[in-house]
Amino acid sequence: MEILENPFRGKGMDEGVLAGAPWPSVDAEAVRDLLGRCPAAAETPLRQVDGFGAQLWIKDERGRMGLGSFKALGAAYVIAHDAAETGAEDMRGALEGRTYVTASAGNHGLSVAAGAHIFGAQAVIYLSELVPEWFADKLRAKGAEVIRDGVDYEASMVAAGRAATDNDWTLLSDSSWPAYFEVPHRLMEGYLAMAEEVTRQMAEPPSHILLQAGVGGLAGAAAAWFRHVWGDGPQIIVVEPERAPALQESIRDARPVETSGEVSNMGRLDCKVPSLIALKGLARDADAFATISDAEAEAVLGDLAAKGLASTPSGAAGVAALRGLDLSEDARVLCILSEEAEG
């Protein structure tokens, strides 16, 4: 595991293309108000787990709104917000005639599909050839149209953007780039529901927080909220695959960096380009950026499954990184189990 200390901690990196990006939201009240109107919304548990050296608390997102991951709070929240803005008394048909399109390496697409289905819209999900067919079937079961295009996530994202322009569809990406900030900013805001639950569920703040990252949306939103509530006390470490260290390399080079490399078994984290909103926030809020190998991510799964916490290399990446840190038994560590096991 490689760890890079963050030289921008506390002040951020707000130059060049990042200057136009908004800071991550900390308006958890807006999220609570909207989710309170959703019958599927419910808190997920915070579990204390032994056997990992330090005192470990795991936020278990595997049951979030019946969709199997924290991503249920993202795209579906954006779509619910759009439905609420129509002023329709019955929001279930508020978005009829509207189509949302995105690329997905996994659970983001499921959140788009579910949100569109609930509020009467259509969903079109672009998948690369790397995404397994069983996941494509899960999307179709939610009513989405699935289109295969591209050898990797980045290529399928280009195809989705082109389709949005050609068909006048709404592009709903979980990443952000110049001139595309409003939708992903709101999407990240949805993740505050999870972070706000954590700060109520923990009796006292953790000493260390390990947040896994792909484009960085979850990590950026959660870190902003934890700093908002807990201040500078916790050590926040962002965890990425060593084959997709987009955030770490961006911090190292003091600018957004597109990385390249082999495909990682941490498929939902295998994103080579960082979200600008997430990078801006994490440059201010994270203490360090760590990368782990595929083997390190895989090694922790058996121990978690034995404790009834079966997940994937992506979902358990934060816990995997804990094993690479030399922490005392008194350390209070918070990790997020971000998705259920596959299949």
mmCIF file of all heavy atoms in Angstrom, residues 88-123:
data_model
loop_
_atom_site.group_PDB
_atom_site.id
_atom_site.type_symbol
_atom_site.label_atom_id
_atom_site.label_comp_id
_atom_site.label_asym_id
_atom_site.label_seq_id
_atom_site.Cartn_x
_atom_site.Cartn_y
_atom_site.Cartn_z
ATOM 1 N N ALA A 88 -45.963 18.221 -9.063
ATOM 2 C CA ALA A 88 -47.022 17.218 -9.216
ATOM 3 C C ALA A 88 -47.443 16.679 -7.854
ATOM 4 O O ALA A 88 -46.604 16.400 -6.990
ATOM 5 C CB ALA A 88 -46.537 16.070 -10.097
ATOM 6 N N GLU A 89 -48.747 16.533 -7.678
ATOM 7 C CA GLU A 89 -49.252 15.993 -6.414
ATOM 8 C C GLU A 89 -48.866 14.528 -6.265
ATOM 9 O O GLU A 89 -48.499 14.081 -5.183
ATOM 10 C CB GLU A 89 -50.780 16.150 -6.357
ATOM 11 C CG GLU A 89 -51.370 15.748 -5.015
ATOM 12 C CD GLU A 89 -52.845 16.097 -4.923
ATOM 13 O OE1 GLU A 89 -53.285 17.068 -5.583
ATOM 14 O OE2 GLU A 89 -53.551 15.393 -4.184
ATOM 15 N N ASP A 90 -48.971 13.779 -7.363
ATOM 16 C CA ASP A 90 -48.540 12.382 -7.376
ATOM 17 C C ASP A 90 -47.224 12.313 -8.138
ATOM 18 O O ASP A 90 -47.196 12.359 -9.367
ATOM 19 C CB ASP A 90 -49.600 11.502 -8.047
ATOM 20 C CG ASP A 90 -49.243 10.018 -7.974
ATOM 21 O OD1 ASP A 90 -48.135 9.695 -7.490
ATOM 22 O OD2 ASP A 90 -50.063 9.191 -8.425
ATOM 23 N N MET A 91 -46.121 12.212 -7.413
ATOM 24 C CA MET A 91 -44.804 12.254 -8.043
ATOM 25 C C MET A 91 -44.491 11.010 -8.856
ATOM 26 O O MET A 91 -43.558 11.005 -9.653
ATOM 27 C CB MET A 91 -43.722 12.461 -6.969
ATOM 28 C CG MET A 91 -43.711 13.884 -6.419
ATOM 29 S SD MET A 91 -42.617 14.112 -4.992
ATOM 30 C CE MET A 91 -41.073 13.418 -5.552
ATOM 31 N N ARG A 92 -45.277 9.959 -8.709
ATOM 32 C CA ARG A 92 -44.961 8.703 -9.390
ATOM 33 C C ARG A 92 -45.007 8.818 -10.909
ATOM 34 O O ARG A 92 -44.345 8.057 -11.605
ATOM 35 C CB ARG A 92 -45.904 7.597 -8.927
ATOM 36 C CG ARG A 92 -45.642 7.136 -7.494
ATOM 37 C CD ARG A 92 -46.680 6.154 -7.024
ATOM 38 N NE ARG A 92 -48.008 6.783 -6.962
ATOM 39 C CZ ARG A 92 -49.118 6.148 -6.575
ATOM 40 N NH1 ARG A 92 -49.049 4.868 -6.234
ATOM 41 N NH2 ARG A 92 -50.260 6.792 -6.523
ATOM 42 N N GLY A 93 -45.744 9.771 -11.449
ATOM 43 C CA GLY A 93 -45.779 9.960 -12.899
ATOM 44 C C GLY A 93 -45.279 11.321 -13.318
ATOM 45 O O GLY A 93 -45.494 11.759 -14.455
ATOM 46 N N ALA A 94 -44.571 11.993 -12.401
ATOM 47 C CA ALA A 94 -44.194 13.390 -12.632
ATOM 48 C C ALA A 94 -43.226 13.576 -13.795
ATOM 49 O O ALA A 94 -43.181 14.646 -14.398
ATOM 50 C CB ALA A 94 -43.583 13.968 -11.363
ATOM 51 N N LEU A 95 -42.456 12.549 -14.134
ATOM 52 C CA LEU A 95 -41.410 12.708 -15.143
ATOM 53 C C LEU A 95 -41.681 11.897 -16.410
ATOM 54 O O LEU A 95 -40.753 11.556 -17.153
ATOM 55 C CB LEU A 95 -40.049 12.321 -14.542
ATOM 56 C CG LEU A 95 -39.601 13.175 -13.349
ATOM 57 C CD1 LEU A 95 -38.313 12.639 -12.760
ATOM 58 C CD2 LEU A 95 -39.433 14.633 -13.759
ATOM 59 N N GLU A 96 -42.934 11.615 -16.666
ATOM 60 C CA GLU A 96 -43.285 10.881 -17.891
ATOM 61 C C GLU A 96 -42.814 11.657 -19.116
ATOM 62 O O GLU A 96 -42.950 12.877 -19.206
ATOM 63 C CB GLU A 96 -44.795 10.662 -17.965
ATOM 64 C CG GLU A 96 -45.301 9.597 -16.995
ATOM 65 C CD GLU A 96 -46.793 9.338 -17.166
ATOM 66 O OE1 GLU A 96 -47.379 9.872 -18.115
ATOM 67 O OE2 GLU A 96 -47.354 8.608 -16.319
ATOM 68 N N GLY A 97 -42.220 10.943 -20.062
ATOM 69 C CA GLY A 97 -41.702 11.562 -21.272
ATOM 70 C C GLY A 97 -40.258 12.007 -21.174
ATOM 71 O O GLY A 97 -39.662 12.416 -22.177
ATOM 72 N N ARG A 98 -39.675 11.910 -19.999
ATOM 73 C CA ARG A 98 -38.278 12.318 -19.816
ATOM 74 C C ARG A 98 -37.379 11.091 -19.797
ATOM 75 O O ARG A 98 -37.760 10.040 -19.269
ATOM 76 C CB ARG A 98 -38.127 13.092 -18.509
ATOM 77 C CG ARG A 98 -36.764 13.732 -18.314
ATOM 78 C CD ARG A 98 -36.864 14.829 -17.280
ATOM 79 N NE ARG A 98 -35.573 15.428 -16.993
ATOM 80 C CZ ARG A 98 -35.400 16.464 -16.186
ATOM 81 N NH1 ARG A 98 -36.454 17.017 -15.585
ATOM 82 N NH2 ARG A 98 -34.199 16.968 -15.959
ATOM 83 N N THR A 99 -36.181 11.220 -20.353
ATOM 84 C CA THR A 99 -35.230 10.110 -20.388
ATOM 85 C C THR A 99 -33.914 10.531 -19.749
ATOM 86 O O THR A 99 -33.362 11.594 -20.071
ATOM 87 C CB THR A 99 -34.962 9.655 -21.832
ATOM 88 O OG1 THR A 99 -36.175 9.180 -22.411
ATOM 89 C CG2 THR A 99 -33.928 8.535 -21.867
ATOM 90 N N TYR A 100 -33.431 9.711 -18.838
ATOM 91 C CA TYR A 100 -32.129 9.904 -18.207
ATOM 92 C C TYR A 100 -31.149 8.900 -18.799
ATOM 93 O O TYR A 100 -31.469 7.713 -18.933
ATOM 94 C CB TYR A 100 -32.207 9.709 -16.691
ATOM 95 C CG TYR A 100 -33.000 10.776 -15.988
ATOM 96 C CD1 TYR A 100 -34.386 10.671 -15.848
ATOM 97 C CD2 TYR A 100 -32.376 11.911 -15.473
ATOM 98 C CE1 TYR A 100 -35.120 11.659 -15.207
ATOM 99 C CE2 TYR A 100 -33.107 12.900 -14.824
ATOM 100 C CZ TYR A 100 -34.471 12.771 -14.703
ATOM 101 O OH TYR A 100 -35.193 13.752 -14.073
ATOM 102 N N VAL A 101 -29.954 9.364 -19.133
ATOM 103 C CA VAL A 101 -28.946 8.484 -19.711
ATOM 104 C C VAL A 101 -27.659 8.622 -18.924
ATOM 105 O O VAL A 101 -27.312 9.704 -18.443
ATOM 106 C CB VAL A 101 -28.714 8.811 -21.206
ATOM 107 C CG1 VAL A 101 -28.220 10.240 -21.397
ATOM 108 C CG2 VAL A 101 -27.743 7.812 -21.834
ATOM 109 N N THR A 102 -26.959 7.520 -18.763
ATOM 110 C CA THR A 102 -25.685 7.533 -18.050
ATOM 111 C C THR A 102 -24.840 6.363 -18.492
ATOM 112 O O THR A 102 -25.326 5.418 -19.127
ATOM 113 C CB THR A 102 -25.909 7.467 -16.535
ATOM 114 O OG1 THR A 102 -24.681 7.798 -15.867
ATOM 115 C CG2 THR A 102 -26.358 6.078 -16.085
ATOM 116 N N ALA A 103 -23.570 6.430 -18.139
ATOM 117 C CA ALA A 103 -22.691 5.260 -18.214
ATOM 118 C C ALA A 103 -22.496 4.750 -16.800
ATOM 119 O O ALA A 103 -22.577 5.523 -15.836
ATOM 120 C CB ALA A 103 -21.349 5.636 -18.829
ATOM 121 N N SER A 104 -22.257 3.473 -16.673
ATOM 122 C CA SER A 104 -22.107 2.914 -15.341
ATOM 123 C C SER A 104 -21.161 1.728 -15.353
ATOM 124 O O SER A 104 -21.128 0.951 -16.309
ATOM 125 C CB SER A 104 -23.462 2.469 -14.786
ATOM 126 O OG SER A 104 -23.318 1.929 -13.486
ATOM 127 N N ALA A 105 -20.388 1.631 -14.264
ATOM 128 C CA ALA A 105 -19.593 0.431 -14.039
ATOM 129 C C ALA A 105 -20.266 -0.454 -13.000
ATOM 130 O O ALA A 105 -19.701 -1.459 -12.587
ATOM 131 C CB ALA A 105 -18.188 0.818 -13.564
ATOM 132 N N GLY A 106 -21.475 -0.062 -12.585
ATOM 133 C CA GLY A 106 -22.168 -0.864 -11.579
ATOM 134 C C GLY A 106 -23.357 -0.165 -10.970
ATOM 135 O O GLY A 106 -24.326 0.144 -11.648
ATOM 136 N N ASN A 107 -23.255 0.169 -9.686
ATOM 137 C CA ASN A 107 -24.427 0.553 -8.906
ATOM 138 C C ASN A 107 -25.005 1.920 -9.239
ATOM 139 O O ASN A 107 -26.178 2.168 -8.980
ATOM 140 C CB ASN A 107 -24.082 0.479 -7.424
ATOM 141 C CG ASN A 107 -23.790 -0.942 -6.978
ATOM 142 O OD1 ASN A 107 -24.588 -1.832 -7.193
ATOM 143 N ND2 ASN A 107 -22.625 -1.152 -6.401
ATOM 144 N N HIS A 108 -24.232 2.812 -9.816
ATOM 145 C CA HIS A 108 -24.788 4.096 -10.231
ATOM 146 C C HIS A 108 -25.896 3.882 -11.253
ATOM 147 O O HIS A 108 -26.963 4.504 -11.176
ATOM 148 C CB HIS A 108 -23.686 4.982 -10.815
ATOM 149 C CG HIS A 108 -24.201 6.209 -11.500
ATOM 150 N ND1 HIS A 108 -24.846 7.223 -10.829
ATOM 151 C CD2 HIS A 108 -24.186 6.571 -12.818
ATOM 152 C CE1 HIS A 108 -25.190 8.169 -11.687
ATOM 153 N NE2 HIS A 108 -24.813 7.796 -12.891
ATOM 154 N N GLY A 109 -25.674 2.997 -12.199
ATOM 155 C CA GLY A 109 -26.691 2.717 -13.210
ATOM 156 C C GLY A 109 -27.962 2.166 -12.599
ATOM 157 O O GLY A 109 -29.074 2.481 -13.047
ATOM 158 N N LEU A 110 -27.821 1.354 -11.565
ATOM 159 C CA LEU A 110 -28.994 0.791 -10.896
ATOM 160 C C LEU A 110 -29.794 1.884 -10.207
ATOM 161 O O LEU A 110 -31.031 1.869 -10.205
ATOM 162 C CB LEU A 110 -28.541 -0.258 -9.877
ATOM 163 C CG LEU A 110 -29.613 -1.198 -9.326
ATOM 164 C CD1 LEU A 110 -30.277 -1.991 -10.433
ATOM 165 C CD2 LEU A 110 -29.006 -2.138 -8.295
ATOM 166 N N SER A 111 -29.105 2.878 -9.646
ATOM 167 C CA SER A 111 -29.797 3.992 -9.004
ATOM 168 C C SER A 111 -30.544 4.836 -10.032
ATOM 169 O O SER A 111 -31.673 5.267 -9.792
ATOM 170 C CB SER A 111 -28.790 4.860 -8.237
ATOM 171 O OG SER A 111 -29.431 5.864 -7.493
ATOM 172 N N VAL A 112 -29.932 5.071 -11.196
ATOM 173 C CA VAL A 112 -30.611 5.793 -12.277
ATOM 174 C C VAL A 112 -31.852 5.022 -12.723
ATOM 175 O O VAL A 112 -32.940 5.592 -12.872
ATOM 176 C CB VAL A 112 -29.671 6.028 -13.466
ATOM 177 C CG1 VAL A 112 -30.429 6.655 -14.643
ATOM 178 C CG2 VAL A 112 -28.506 6.925 -13.075
ATOM 179 N N ALA A 113 -31.686 3.727 -12.942
ATOM 180 C CA ALA A 113 -32.803 2.901 -13.407
ATOM 181 C C ALA A 113 -33.946 2.902 -12.409
ATOM 182 O O ALA A 113 -35.119 3.052 -12.777
ATOM 183 C CB ALA A 113 -32.311 1.476 -13.666
ATOM 184 N N ALA A 114 -33.622 2.732 -11.136
ATOM 185 C CA ALA A 114 -34.662 2.676 -10.108
ATOM 186 C C ALA A 114 -35.359 4.020 -9.960
ATOM 187 O O ALA A 114 -36.591 4.085 -9.870
ATOM 188 C CB ALA A 114 -34.059 2.236 -8.776
ATOM 189 N N GLY A 115 -34.587 5.104 -9.940
ATOM 190 C CA GLY A 115 -35.182 6.423 -9.797
ATOM 191 C C GLY A 115 -36.092 6.771 -10.958
ATOM 192 O O GLY A 115 -37.197 7.298 -10.774
ATOM 193 N N ALA A 116 -35.636 6.480 -12.166
ATOM 194 C CA ALA A 116 -36.461 6.755 -13.339
ATOM 195 C C ALA A 116 -37.759 5.957 -13.289
ATOM 196 O O ALA A 116 -38.851 6.479 -13.569
ATOM 197 C CB ALA A 116 -35.679 6.422 -14.609
ATOM 198 N N HIS A 117 -37.665 4.702 -12.905
ATOM 199 C CA HIS A 117 -38.843 3.830 -12.850
ATOM 200 C C HIS A 117 -39.868 4.352 -11.839
ATOM 201 O O HIS A 117 -41.073 4.375 -12.111
ATOM 202 C CB HIS A 117 -38.412 2.414 -12.484
ATOM 203 C CG HIS A 117 -39.535 1.438 -12.371
ATOM 204 N ND1 HIS A 117 -40.215 0.940 -13.459
ATOM 205 C CD2 HIS A 117 -40.129 0.885 -11.275
ATOM 206 C CE1 HIS A 117 -41.159 0.110 -13.062
ATOM 207 N NE2 HIS A 117 -41.139 0.063 -11.738
ATOM 208 N N ILE A 118 -39.400 4.816 -10.692
ATOM 209 C CA ILE A 118 -40.303 5.274 -9.634
ATOM 210 C C ILE A 118 -41.105 6.495 -10.070
ATOM 211 O O ILE A 118 -42.295 6.615 -9.775
ATOM 212 C CB ILE A 118 -39.501 5.601 -8.355
ATOM 213 C CG1 ILE A 118 -38.955 4.313 -7.725
ATOM 214 C CG2 ILE A 118 -40.370 6.347 -7.345
ATOM 215 C CD1 ILE A 118 -37.938 4.561 -6.617
ATOM 216 N N PHE A 119 -40.456 7.383 -10.815
ATOM 217 C CA PHE A 119 -41.091 8.660 -11.121
ATOM 218 C C PHE A 119 -41.572 8.778 -12.570
ATOM 219 O O PHE A 119 -41.875 9.874 -13.038
ATOM 220 C CB PHE A 119 -40.148 9.807 -10.774
ATOM 221 C CG PHE A 119 -39.778 9.837 -9.323
ATOM 222 C CD1 PHE A 119 -38.506 9.492 -8.898
ATOM 223 C CD2 PHE A 119 -40.720 10.180 -8.363
ATOM 224 C CE1 PHE A 119 -38.174 9.507 -7.551
ATOM 225 C CE2 PHE A 119 -40.401 10.190 -7.019
ATOM 226 C CZ PHE A 119 -39.125 9.849 -6.606
ATOM 227 N N GLY A 120 -41.666 7.648 -13.273
ATOM 228 C CA GLY A 120 -42.293 7.623 -14.589
ATOM 229 C C GLY A 120 -41.405 7.966 -15.757
ATOM 230 O O GLY A 120 -41.894 8.092 -16.895
ATOM 231 N N ALA A 121 -40.103 8.134 -15.542
ATOM 232 C CA ALA A 121 -39.175 8.452 -16.628
ATOM 233 C C ALA A 121 -38.595 7.174 -17.232
ATOM 234 O O ALA A 121 -38.823 6.062 -16.733
ATOM 235 C CB ALA A 121 -38.054 9.343 -16.105
ATOM 236 N N GLN A 122 -37.837 7.338 -18.303
ATOM 237 C CA GLN A 122 -37.109 6.246 -18.924
ATOM 238 C C GLN A 122 -35.627 6.354 -18.559
ATOM 239 O O GLN A 122 -35.112 7.452 -18.344
ATOM 240 C CB GLN A 122 -37.266 6.278 -20.447
ATOM 241 C CG GLN A 122 -38.693 6.141 -20.920
ATOM 242 C CD GLN A 122 -39.294 4.794 -20.544
ATOM 243 O OE1 GLN A 122 -38.680 3.753 -20.754
ATOM 244 N NE2 GLN A 122 -40.486 4.824 -19.970
ATOM 245 N N ALA A 123 -34.946 5.214 -18.504
ATOM 246 C CA ALA A 123 -33.515 5.188 -18.220
ATOM 247 C C ALA A 123 -32.799 4.429 -19.323
ATOM 248 O O ALA A 123 -33.230 3.337 -19.719
ATOM 249 C CB ALA A 123 -33.239 4.530 -16.875
#
